[in-house]
Amino acid sequence: MRFSQQLTTVLKERDLFEVKGIVAGLIIEEGLPSSPPSSFGGKSWRFWTLGLTLFLLLSTGVFFAGQSWGWWANDPQALAQKYLRPMENVVFVEDNESASIEDLRLGMDAYDRQNYAKAIQYLNTYYQQTQDGNAGLFLAISY
């Protein structure tokens, strides 16, 4: 059965088998075709190196031209105003006669008036005494 199937396949595709036989004979007679020598300094490597070099030169030129003409210049003060705004005062100060509470009250009043140098002075004193996280947060914002 298997022989019959193979014979049928060979008879149907006789031309294909003949071509395969001719090519196999030529390979045996002439040898395999030689492949071109691949070297590290071939044309392909030179082409990619030249392309990469041109790309780097062009992008560097565009970068320095953009820097000198101010295409993407940002004012640091404008960035700071946009993203580093003071937080709203949400600290509740108790009416207490403690000296440390008075430093917190004075520090938060200075913070509200945007006198951050005074706020740092008072909040730092209060934070050193109590290690209160809320005062530490506003102290960091004042800095």
Side-chain angles (χ1 to χ4, degrees):
M1 178 88 161
R2 189 175 296 151
F3 174 76
S4 176
Q5 289 175 343
Q6 289 176 352
L7 182 61
T8 306
T9 305
V10 167
L11 291 176
K12 283 183 184 175
E13 300 185 20
R14 183 182 302 174
D15 295 336
L16 179 64
F17 284 109
E18 287 176 2
V19 170
K20 285 182 180 180
I22 292 172
V23 171
L26 286 174
I27 288 175
I28 291 172
E29 188 178 307
E30 299 289 328
L32 288 174
S34 62
S35 61
S38 61
S39 65
F40 188 72
K43 290 181 180 179
S44 176
W45 183 80
R46 290 181 188 156
F47 173 75
W48 285 107
T49 303
L50 179 64
L52 180 63
T53 304
L54 288 175
F55 174 75
L56 290 175
L57 286 174
L58 182 65
S59 60
T60 304
V62 168
F63 172 75
F64 284 117
Q67 287 289 85
S68 66
W69 293 330
W71 287 348
W72 45 74
N74 285 324
D75 180 28
Q77 190 66 27
L79 285 174
Q81 291 291 2
K82 185 175 181 181
Y83 294 108
L84 300 176
R85 285 178 271 163
M87 195 171 114
E88 180 184 345
N89 181 359
V90 293
V91 174
F92 176 73
V93 180
E94 297 177 18
D95 288 335
N96 194 337
E97 297 299 323
S98 173
S100 62
I101 291 292
E102 189 60 30
D103 287 331
L104 177 62
R105 185 184 343 260
L106 291 172
M108 293 312 293
D109 287 342
Y111 179 87
D112 289 337
R113 290 190 313 271
Q114 296 180 352
N115 185 354
Y116 299 113
K118 282 286 187 190
I120 289 170
Q121 178 185 355
Y122 289 120
L123 289 175
N124 192 26
T125 304
Y126 178 75
Y127 184 73
Q128 294 298 326
Q129 294 171 358
T130 63
Q131 299 294 313
D132 181 17
N134 293 326
L137 173 67
F138 284 97
L139 176 61
I141 293 171
S142 296
Y143 273 114

